[in-house]
Amino acid sequence: MKIVVLTGAGISAESGISTFRDSNGLWENHDIEEVATPSGWCLNPELVTRFYNQRRAQLHTVHPNDAHHALVELAKYHDVSIITQNVDDLHERAGSKNVMHLHGELLKSRDEETEETYEQLGDMKYGDKSPSGNLLRPHIVWFFEAVPKIIDAQKEVQTADKLIVIGTSLQVYPAAGLLEFAPEHCEVILIDPVDPDTRGRYRFLQGTASEQVPALVHELI
Ligand code: OAD
């Protein structure tokens, strides 16, 4: 069976990474506008660089949780692909192979001109250049920017027999619109502590990712 999994910040919450909308539009005490928009980058690139350096450093202190691990188990029995809105690498560190990052990756930087990406394991410095001599920026899709992988993600969802949506408030488009691409026969299952009020269109499993994902995986294998 082809299973597509769409994850959001909630799957990493129990690993110790804060979600976005649970903190009133703040991201680790910063206004989202300041650190996650092109204008924030233009106004204060040093602050933005420092912010993502801190997020990258935090990544080295956290670990995948039972939900990430359960998805690896699921892939032993089914054809699983993961589309994540998260910029952490916890799916990969758990051992998932087929992971698409819709909103970029903390462990990469990007050439502002060519869009080429580079591994970025340690701190960036504002002014760092790519091998082509252009300015590097964090490889994050900021608000108001296009989401280059969205067409690939839509195609993936169109081939799903099941779509499992974990820990996302479904407030940010185009990612939230991916559910609309599920084919007729595809069961859509949402896992979240908070009912997203989709008016019964989907199967909703209320609870945290680390409780509900392993239980669902157990059911599916
Ligand atoms: P949000 O912060 O909007 O939503 C997190 C969701 O996780 C909420 O529905 C919570 O109820 C749920 N949640 C909290 N704890 C949970 C737990 N232990 N287990 C399961 N679910 C839990 O995060 P996203 O929907 O991922 O974009 O946000 C989407 C995008 O907006 C992000 O990718 C980010 C942000 O701005 C960029 O960085 C570009």
Side-chain angles (χ1 to χ4, degrees), residues 71-113:
L71 293 176
V72 179
E73 193 60 21
L74 185 64
K76 293 181 187 161
Y77 299 86
H78 296 287
D79 175 9
V80 173
S81 69
I82 297 176
I83 302 169
T84 186
Q85 298 168 81
N86 299 342
V87 295
D88 65 53
D89 65 339
L90 294 180
H91 284 301
E92 288 90 341
R93 270 202 269 155
S96 285
K97 296 280 178 258
N98 204 354
V99 184
M100 181 191 298
H101 284 269
L102 269 189
H103 292 162
E105 293 174 71
L106 274 174
L107 297 182
K108 289 187 180 164
S109 54
R110 183 162 90 230
D111 182 312
E112 284 222 304
E113 303 294 322

Side-chain angles (χ1 to χ4, degrees), residues 8-10 14 19-21 85 103 141 143 167-169 172 192-193 208-209:
E14 289 161 276
T19 60
F20 302 93
R21 275 152 207 93
Q85 298 168 81
H103 292 162
V141 176
F143 285 100
T168 171
S169 60
V172 174
D192 203 286
T208 65

Side-chain angles (χ1 to χ4, degrees), residues 7-15 17-23 27 32 36 52 65 67 84-87 102-104 140-143 145 147 166-173 175-176 191-196 207-213:
T7 64
I11 196 169
S12 297
E14 289 161 276
S15 294
I17 300 179
S18 305
T19 60
F20 302 93
R21 275 152 207 93
D22 296 330
S23 49
W27 187 359
I32 299 242
Y52 290 100
N65 63 52
T84 186
Q85 298 168 81
N86 299 342
V87 295
L102 269 189
H103 292 162
I140 304 289
V141 176
W142 288 322
F143 285 100
E145 291 189 316
V147 179
I166 306 166
T168 171
S169 60
L170 296 174
Q171 305 257 324
V172 174
Y173 283 80
I191 293 177
D192 203 286
V194 179
D195 187 342
T208 65
S210 73
E211 302 160 6
Q212 292 291 356
V213 180

Side-chain angles (χ1 to χ4, degrees), residues 129-140:
K129 299 276 180 6
S130 77
S132 317
N134 305 313
L135 192 63
L136 283 172
R137 58 166 272 182
H139 179 46
I140 304 289

